[in-house]
Amino acid sequence: MQMRTGQTSTQAPVNDTSAIAKVSRRSMLAGAGGFAVSVALAGRPGLSFAQELQSARPLTQVRGGDATPSLWIAIEEDGTVRITCHRAEMGQQAWTAMAQIVADELEADWDDVQIVQAEGDAKYGDQNTDGSRSVRFNLHRLRVAGAAMRGMLEQAAANEWGVDVARCTAKLGQVRNSQNGRRLGFGELAVAAAALPLPTEDQVKLKERRDWRYIGKPVPSLTVPKIIRGQGEYGIDVDRPNMVYAVIAHPPQLFGKVGTVDDSDALTVPGVLKTIRLPDAEPPALFKPLGGMAVIATDTWAAIQGREALQIDWVDGPNADYDSKDFLAGLVASVRQPGGVRSNRGDVDGALASAKTKVEADYATPHYAHSSIEPVSATAEWNGDKLTCWACVQDAQTTRNTIHQGLGIPLENITVHTTWLGGAFGRKSKPDFVLEAVLLAQQMGRPVKVTWTREDDLQQDYFHMPSAQHFEAGLDEDGKCTAFLHRSAFPSIATTFVPGLNQMRDEELSQGVLDNPFDVPNFRTESGTATGHVRIGWLRSVCNTFHAFGVQSFAAELAHAAGRDQKDYLLDLVGPSRIVDPLADGAKYNNYGADPEEYPIDTGRLRHVIERAADMARWGRRMRKGRGLGIAAHRSFLTYVATVIEVAVDDEGRLEIPGIWLAADAGTVVNPRHSEDQFEGGTLFGLSNALYGEISTQGGAVVQNNFPDWRLMRMEEAPKDMEIEIVASDAPPAGTGEPGTPPAAPALTNAIFAATGLRIRKLPIFGADGDRLPIENVQKS
């Protein structure tokens, strides 16, 4: 591979750093308290069905992809069952969920199950761990893989005993003979089973739902015990022989460039070895490195100190005049003008003109950052022309392909290992930081770990897009909504890939605009135009977050205008139980890529979660002064969620959240406890952004740089009581990681209005420096 032009390096004088101890967080934890754990897997390699017949593999085309057992399952002679997880583990319990599916159909004993993290490889199919799709995409094929192997183990036992296979039943890691009570462990049968032909899909016997042992049960996490013991490996934990460490000074603006550099002071910092100029970034941004100056050192701290000592004159790029506050103000003004029609039903203009009451409102949200607990980190190592990377990425396969396409390295020469991710929320599906490590490792001729600091993470993110929405509605004499107009504008994620693009994609408008289920006879959606000036990327719930804020807040405004209870009016807007088809209104709706026959927009399910959340919160109870309830409901990632929030506001405008009640219908849920965790986390994520979240730019550069000015919701601000109900359902599986976020903000702001009369149409509610609602708007009663 040839380095791109523009890369230069400067060597530091030798500094004696041999006395600097390298003490890792991992070693400190594992050695603390006398509970150090040592694990050694001795003996011959696992019997992974690699000996299966080399004839055609009949399970490669099942729904979801390849279900060939050897791709997912290996059985050791001692009965250990190793299950491969091809999705990234970032706290959402993908390891546990994937293992539950396979182990259930396999009839493995849970105590024998261990997880193997897959490398990035096309043989696994889709490895992109975002979009709340891991279970939806893989439930069927992993069940088939487990059941196929179970059948082969039962057949191997039948052959051993000379009995009909119908007399052999797998249960908890053994096959039992009903004729004589004899038993054989999976480990004893693995070699014989491997020699059997693979079944076809119609020969595989899946369990009935009533017989599931692990699926749908709150099975304990496979990762939490490792975290407690300091085991497992995050991106920051990777350590390779002869490795050096890199920290990079990136241009403050997107497509800014390095002008002149004085690195003389940096090279005097103890431990600093070298500085290297990375290639300047050019449009489109894609997943390419941002450019800048890298400082290479014997440890990360030395690299950070070396970066601080750099003197760089930056050359402005094309986004030097980007001021996010001015941009958002212009965006709000733009949505007050007609936009491009994206769907239409009836005669909205006529119905608005004849309405007894007309209601209008604008809503706006700023840029957000992902700010996962672990900033990004990647390690790259060359061995001749072979490259190996270790990184906290959400999609190892896309990472591998990006390295191949961007740097010209043959795909077969690239190996990408996915570490655990300390949170991600969409940021770590963009592997720009991995490419940085690859380029620097080649220059150094030794392994290089690139670490982004919190400041890097906040200022160089793929930011959530700002948004503006305009609503108009007409009400008749009885307060019934007869006309509804929704216009939305935001810079599309596609601007990261297509410079100059100013249109919203149908996929983005399918998240809360085109799929609006309201039963209003005259209904129109429109989109405005907007361009991107920073890297825009998907963030938890993507466009659902701001669209739900607008739609559900405006629904509460209509209830108030009609003199109605907000929950009752919301149910009236949703209308009777029915299937909604956005295509009938001319919408180019994508339904999250799912078949609408299997995953229709079902207002009966939406109504049910609204009613359940309201019942859980004891909706309609008498509230004390300064207290109020707010409700919001939204379908995203094929899951239906309703959230009720109670707030308490004192006379000085201080806000508390005494309780949250959430009902979710996510279809078939593999692990209800972990799904509850996801809905809790998603709700808190939404509340934190609603209260404080705002990334702003001046002169094209991000203003915020760490938690003092990018404030997160704090522990004492979290709700005192939080109740989650997962609706029992045999519908196909939908998402759980993201759907809890969209209803959080509108439920909160609707509750604030109920308590104080203060209507909030622009987020954040406070910002990093505030913690009081305007007391002049607090109701006096």
Side-chain angles (χ1 to χ4, degrees), residues 312-624:
I312 305 175
D313 290 327
W314 300 103
V315 176
D316 285 345
N319 299 293
D321 60 350
Y322 179 51
D323 184 296
S324 59
K325 293 186 183 297
D326 290 345
F327 179 85
L328 186 55
L331 203 60
V332 170
S334 75
V335 295
R336 293 171 182 156
Q337 304 301 316
V341 175
R342 308 302 284 254
S343 68
N344 186 67
R345 178 169 69 242
D347 180 6
V348 171
D349 293 334
L352 286 172
S354 62
K356 174 69 173 178
T357 304
K358 185 176 178 180
V359 183
E360 294 188 31
D362 299 323
Y363 296 86
T365 61
H367 285 295
Y368 297 136
H370 295 83
S371 63
S372 54
I373 192 66
E374 172 207 28
V376 297
S377 179
T379 300
E381 179 176 349
W382 287 89
N383 184 5
D385 62 352
K386 300 294 193 296
L387 171 68
T388 304
C389 301
W390 296 260
C392 51
V393 289
Q394 291 177 244
D395 186 353
Q397 198 175 136
T398 290
T399 301
R400 187 172 179 235
N401 292 335
T402 300
I403 295 169
H404 162 63
Q405 295 164 4
L407 303 179
I409 305 168
L411 192 62
E412 63 272 16
N413 289 0
I414 305 168
T415 300
V416 176
H417 298 285
T418 301
T419 64
W420 282 357
L421 285 64
F425 313 123
R427 168 59 181 100
K428 293 169 184 173
S429 57
K430 297 94 169 170
D432 54 315
F433 58 99
V434 185
L435 273 69
E436 291 177 333
V438 172
L439 290 170
L440 294 173
Q442 190 195 46
Q443 280 283 287
M444 293 300 297
R446 58 198 291 190
V448 172
K449 179 193 289 185
V450 167
T451 299
W452 282 36
T453 64
R454 178 61 62 193
E455 291 80 3
D456 299 327
D457 180 65
L458 282 177
Q459 297 190 324
Q460 309 294 341
D461 199 2
Y462 284 80
F463 299 100
H464 191 51
M465 64 281 276
S467 74
Q469 299 173 78
H470 175 75
F471 292 87
E472 298 179 21
L475 310 183
D476 65 14
E477 296 82 357
D478 298 323
K480 181 178 175 62
C481 185
T482 58
F484 194 100
L485 170 66
H486 181 188
R487 188 178 300 131
S488 180
F490 51 88
S492 170
I493 292 170
T495 60
T496 296
F497 306 91
V498 183
L501 182 73
N502 66 356
Q503 298 293 320
M504 285 96 254
R505 296 179 299 153
D506 296 320
E507 177 184 350
E508 293 165 321
L509 293 170
S510 294
Q511 299 175 359
V513 177
L514 302 179
D515 54 345
N516 187 312
F518 288 172
D519 186 24
V520 179
N522 304 287
F523 188 96
R524 187 168 75 236
T525 65
E526 299 177 5
S527 62
T529 60
T531 56
H533 300 277
V534 296
R535 298 193 297 182
I536 302 291
W538 42 93
L539 175 143
R540 194 176 200 169
S541 295
V542 204
C543 300
N544 287 290
T545 303
F546 51 79
H547 285 148
F549 171 59
V551 171
Q552 293 296 303
S553 295
F554 192 60
E557 295 211 41
L558 297 184
H560 181 70
R564 297 278 308 282
D565 174 85
Q566 58 173 304
K567 183 264 294 184
D568 293 341
Y569 198 85
L570 178 58
L571 287 170
D572 285 350
L573 282 172
V574 171
S577 297
R578 68 198 190 285
I579 301 302
V580 174
D581 180 12
L583 302 182
D585 296 331
K588 295 181 179 179
Y589 177 64
N590 82 330
N591 201 39
Y592 300 91
D595 183 351
E597 293 294 323
E598 186 178 18
Y599 290 95
I601 300 174
D602 185 344
T603 60
R605 295 174 71 182
L606 185 60
R607 290 183 63 90
H608 180 65
V609 294
I610 293 171
E611 291 164 342
R612 282 301 308 135
D615 288 346
M616 292 159 63
R618 296 184 294 123
W619 187 273
R621 57 190 159 98
R622 184 175 178 83
M623 306 298 293
R624 298 198 303 270

Side-chain angles (χ1 to χ4, degrees), residues 209 665 667-668 727-733:
R209 180 179 290 261
D665 182 349
T668 297
V727 174
S729 174
D730 59 2

Side-chain angles (χ1 to χ4, degrees), residues 15-23 270-272 298-299 301-302:
N15 296 301
D16 183 7
T17 59
S18 59
I20 300 177
K22 297 182 184 293
V23 182
V272 170
T298 55
D299 59 81
W301 179 247

